[in-house]
Amino acid sequence: MEFANAELDRVRICLIGNSKLSQVVHSLIPEFEALASITIIDNIFNDAVKAARDLIERQQVDIFISAGANAFYLQDTLPIPVLALKVEQADLIQAVLTARRISPKILLLTYERQETNVELLSLFDGVELTHHTYSTAEHAKEIFHSVRNEGFGVVIGSSYACDLAEYAGLQSVLLYSRESCRNLLRKAIRQAGQHKREQQHEAIGQFLLEQNLQPQILTNRSGAVVAWNSAAGTLIPTLGRRRRLDGVLDGKMLDAPSLRAEGLLLGDRLCSLNKQPFELDGERVGFLYSFQLSPLAMPQDDGRRLVFQSSRMAEVQNQLTVYGATPGTVLIRGETGTGKELAARQVHVSSANAKGPFVAINCAAIPAELFESELFGYAEGAFTSAKSGGKSGLLESANNGTFFMDEINSLPLPQQAKLLRVLQEREVSPVGARRPISLNIKFVAACNVDLMDEVRAGRFREDLYYRISTFAVHIPPLRERVEDIPVLTAYLMRREGLRYALEVEPDALIKGVAPVFRRYHWPGNVRQLENVVERLIVSQRMYGSCEALLDALPRVVPELYAPLGEGEQGGHLHHVEQEEIVKALQLFGGNKSMAAEYLGISQTTLWRRLKRLHSGEHHG
């Protein structure tokens, strides 16, 4: 199966190098114009990584090419392919021949991890060649400083070594030939195209796995997990970290070529398992584990998910999915109880890090003095009370996953500055550690206030606001999407019925509570609705029937019948009540009897409220 997409025709290559190497590659760009878009960035080491990550974040590169220490440094740090320019024997010989014309006393300076065969160079007559290797940029400078009085007339090395030679007043010869650079570009085009095809094939496989709402896991022949859907990740939360089913399933099940098993208990979920071998050209290459969850138990998260039927929430869901697929930070704003963490989890499953961990923190709950040690971790001996062996921070534990920061507006300004640095550098330095840890994290933030108002008030950093607010999603309160209340109520009733192992008649119960639910303003949003539904389901056991429970509704959920308060909120509720009455009358063509039944009130109450409504219009 091959997708002949247009983007495979022309790949995006970025060279990260400097001076002479950049000049050679630049001269080759016209030869490859039809096959590749080639960008050149003149940077080394830390600056090179920053520039590379910026391109990755903006999704403007398929593969990097580089040489010498830069190439190894980038390969160790970046999440996408980095192709290194190798030192060819022919290039080395040609470089020595060129250098010999300048001076017989030659310094060959190469990176320590770069394979360089210098044995043949001893065959050259009249050449005094000294070979040094360096580990860092500073080390290379130290070598130059230590040998400057040894009388070298020319230096052979990478672009960086050539630059150092020129700063020292020496002539230099680049170690890499034009033909080697040409071959590197050809190889990069092939590898980038292959990488894109592999990504598409992985995406196809993942797409097919996700079509099944039940957990599915694919392993290779030796039992290593190679793919799984989000349902499997929920069932076995350690899957992304362990990448094996040892300790999750019995050894006999893992050894069996195929099987069907009932009554398995995974965590608190009862399920059945169907294991099938997966073959290619008659050879067994892996196994597909398909689980069927029993409806008698609920998962630890109570099966919570975003449930809606309104167009506003459909738009929100779409934003979460689209923004989740980007590498940028997503900001979720909404009142308390609107489901911001559920929205964050939707971002997580839509992201490239969906297989990784989901780590959530409440910024208001972390004491300022513990912020660095909790988020960044610390090295052994970092401070007096530091435990032996140090401690990994929450950010490190979220690596290759998603890090959700709720109530980000609660962070004090000094901690905001530290967080901004993490978001900019995409790395974290544990307290007392010598080296930073690179981060591959999807960041999601949430707040229940207008952050721009916080910026204007001086309580939130403006630069942090613009860093996190590129992809902003606003979750409307429940009172602004009343059409979602019936479907939410039905979903919650079924969920709570399963949770408490009670028989529920959702249709009759929903019909009875709908008018009351629709009129209420829900200041606690979906979370309050969850609490009310849970109370109703449990109370049904006490009252014995749905009819008896509905009769007792004002006593079971008295807050839904509380009189309107004075002031702005009461005025808003009064207005909502008027709108409901007008809508009901329009729906039934002015028939007051049918409208009253629909609203769940008596005709006398409807008449009294209509009188108050008309009275308000005349006074207005």
Side-chain angles (χ1 to χ4, degrees):
M1 181 164 31
E2 184 78 41
F3 280 94
N5 288 324
E7 65 267 20
L8 292 180
D9 296 338
R10 200 162 181 264
V11 300
R12 297 165 299 178
I13 300 172
C14 176
L15 166 74
I16 298 202
N18 62 316
S19 60
K20 291 191 173 184
L21 178 62
S22 297
Q23 291 167 19
V24 175
V25 173
H26 188 271
S27 70
L28 294 169
I29 288 178
E31 293 183 28
F32 297 93
E33 200 165 8
L35 299 172
S37 166
I38 301 172
T39 306
I40 296 175
I41 295 177
D42 282 315
N43 270 323
I44 60 169
F45 301 104
N46 282 327
D47 291 334
V49 170
K50 290 176 187 175
R53 281 183 177 158
D54 181 59
L55 277 180
I56 294 170
E57 190 167 323
R58 290 188 282 120
Q59 297 181 310
Q60 293 183 352
V61 63
D62 297 317
I63 192 169
F64 289 97
I65 57 174
S66 193
N70 240 11
F72 288 94
Y73 192 72
L74 293 167
Q75 283 175 343
D76 292 343
T77 312
L78 298 180
I80 70 172
V82 178
L83 206 54
L85 182 55
K86 291 183 179 179
V87 178
E88 301 291 347
Q89 194 68 43
D91 289 353
L92 188 55
I93 292 170
Q94 185 58 52
V96 172
L97 291 172
T98 303
R100 187 173 65 175
R101 298 191 202 107
I102 300 169
S103 171
K105 191 160 187 178
I106 302 169
L107 170 63
L108 173 62
L109 186 61
T110 60
Y111 180 55
E112 64 180 9
R113 289 168 63 186
Q114 193 171 25
E115 189 177 329
T116 311
N117 187 357
V118 295
E119 292 179 6
L120 279 174
L121 303 182
S122 61
L123 301 176
F124 283 89
D125 293 328
V127 171
E128 185 182 340
L129 186 138
T130 303
H131 182 209
H132 282 284
T133 62
Y134 61 91
S135 56
T136 64
E138 289 304 314
H139 186 202
K141 290 178 183 176
E142 289 171 10
I143 292 172
F144 259 95
H145 183 74
S146 65
V147 302
R148 63 182 178 182
N149 296 323
E150 294 184 18
F152 291 107
V154 63
V155 175
I156 299 174
S158 64
S159 280
Y160 183 63
C162 291
D163 286 348
L164 289 177
E166 289 174 11
Y167 293 147
L170 295 172
Q171 291 195 58
S172 63
V173 175
L174 183 65
L175 189 54
Y176 316 112
S177 69
R178 182 179 173 84
E179 186 59 29
S180 290
C181 292
R182 182 181 282 114
N183 288 335
L184 179 68
L185 287 170
R186 288 171 180 153
K187 189 175 179 181
I189 290 169
R190 287 196 303 273
Q191 190 165 322
Q194 180 63 27
H195 181 63
K196 274 192 169 185
R197 284 187 286 274
E198 287 172 359
Q199 283 184 313
Q200 288 192 348
H201 288 156
E202 285 178 12
I204 294 165
Q206 192 62 41
F207 173 78
L208 293 174
L209 280 175
E210 294 295 346
Q211 298 315 296
N212 193 328
L213 298 178
Q214 296 289 346
Q216 287 194 313
I217 299 170
L218 192 63
T219 72
N220 65 14
R221 193 165 45 200
S222 64
V225 174
V226 295
W228 64 92
N229 61 7
S230 53
T234 301
L235 178 66
I236 309 172
T238 59
L239 205 55
R241 189 168 64 253
R242 294 168 54 95
R243 297 297 179 104
R244 296 196 69 84
L245 292 173
D246 306 68
V248 177
L249 296 177
D250 183 82
K252 292 179 181 178
M253 293 182 178
L254 298 176
D255 294 337
S258 63
L259 66 87
R260 291 188 66 87
E262 303 288 339
L264 289 178
L265 188 64
L266 295 182
D268 65 345
R269 293 305 305 263
L270 197 64
C271 58
S272 60
L273 166 65
N274 182 26
K275 178 183 178 182
Q276 297 171 286
F278 176 64
E279 296 184 350
L280 184 64
D281 296 330
E283 181 186 358
R284 184 171 298 160
V285 294
F287 300 94
L288 177 65
Y289 291 80
S290 300
F291 297 86
Q292 186 77 29
L293 300 181
S294 166
L296 298 178
M298 296 300 295
Q300 286 185 334
D301 66 355
D302 292 333
R304 298 173 73 230
R305 59 186 177 86
L306 291 174
V307 175
F308 57 88
Q309 65 180 14
S310 64
S311 58
R312 284 194 68 179
M313 282 303 293
E315 183 180 5
V316 166
Q317 174 89 352
N318 195 32
Q319 287 177 324
L320 294 170
T321 303
V322 173
Y323 294 169
T326 71
T329 302
V330 175
L331 175 64
I332 300 170
R333 183 186 165 201
E335 293 179 6
T336 299
T338 48
K340 295 187 288 296
E341 182 169 342
L342 294 181
R345 290 183 181 276
Q346 177 63 52
V347 170
H348 172 62
V349 299
S350 304
S351 74
N353 292 0
K355 293 181 181 178
F358 178 91
V359 177
I361 65 162
N362 188 312
C363 296
I366 299 179
E369 63 272 18
L370 297 179
F371 179 85
E372 280 195 68
S373 61
E374 287 295 316
L375 261 68
F376 300 168
Y378 54 79
E380 184 172 2
F383 44 85
T384 308
S385 60
K387 69 177 183 181
S388 176
K391 175 189 173 185
S392 296
L394 292 169
L395 282 165
E396 187 179 351
S397 67
N399 221 351
N400 300 313
T402 297
F403 191 66
F404 173 53
M405 301 166 286
D406 199 7
E407 295 190 49
I408 194 170
N409 49 291
S410 300
L411 273 184
L413 287 168
Q415 278 69 51
Q416 291 177 30
K418 291 168 185 171
L419 176 60
L420 176 63
R421 182 172 179 81
V422 169
L423 294 173
Q424 288 173 333
E425 304 296 336
R426 294 284 169 163
E427 60 184 26
V428 62
S429 297
V431 179
R434 294 183 180 179
R435 291 185 178 179
I437 297 166
S438 296
L439 298 177
N440 171 30
I441 290 178
K442 177 69 176 178
F443 286 97
V444 185
C447 61
N448 53 15
V449 297
D450 189 331
L451 276 188
M452 200 62 221
D453 287 346
E454 296 296 291
V455 170
R456 294 189 192 101
R459 292 186 292 268
F460 200 83
R461 290 180 64 108
E462 187 174 12
D463 46 4
L464 178 57
Y465 171 76
Y466 287 115
R467 170 63 63 172
I468 67 174
S469 63
T470 304
F471 300 110
V473 180
H474 177 246
I475 302 181
L478 193 55
R479 64 180 174 273
E480 292 180 11
R481 50 184 184 103
V482 290
E483 61 266 53
D484 285 340
I485 292 176
V487 68
L488 261 170
T489 304
Y491 169 78
L492 293 170
M493 283 181 176
R494 290 187 178 92
R495 194 190 78 184
E496 296 303 322
L498 287 172
R499 181 182 171 196
Y500 286 99
L502 295 172
E503 286 188 16
V504 179
E505 301 172 44
D507 294 339
L509 198 52
I510 290 167
K511 185 178 179 182
V513 301
V516 183
F517 278 18
R518 198 164 43 243
R519 288 196 306 272
Y520 187 62
H521 62 292
W522 301 106
N525 292 295
V526 180
R527 186 176 298 142
Q528 185 186 10
L529 178 62
E530 282 183 296
N531 295 340
V532 167
V533 168
E534 182 179 2
R535 196 188 317 165
L536 287 174
I537 296 302
V538 174
S539 298
Q540 185 172 322
R541 177 186 288 174
M542 182 168 54
Y543 287 95
S545 70
C546 178
E547 293 76 15
L549 174 62
L550 290 173
D551 287 340
L553 214 55
R555 299 187 297 281
V556 177
V557 281
E559 64 268 37
L560 304 190
Y561 293 82
L564 297 178
E566 294 296 324
E568 199 171 309
Q569 189 185 58
H572 170 73
L573 294 177
H574 183 62
H575 180 66
V576 170
E577 184 185 70
Q578 290 178 353
E579 284 186 348
E580 286 294 321
I581 291 171
V582 171
K583 283 180 184 176
L585 286 169
Q586 289 174 344
L587 185 63
F588 296 104
N591 186 315
K592 294 184 179 62
S593 174
M594 293 177 71
E597 184 182 348
Y598 174 77
L599 292 168
I601 58 178
S602 67
Q603 290 189 56
T604 306
T605 303
L606 176 62
W607 177 83
R608 189 167 56 247
R609 291 181 182 176
L610 280 172
K611 186 177 180 183
R612 187 176 65 193
L613 174 59
H614 292 310
S615 174
E617 287 174 354
H618 293 320
H619 283 93

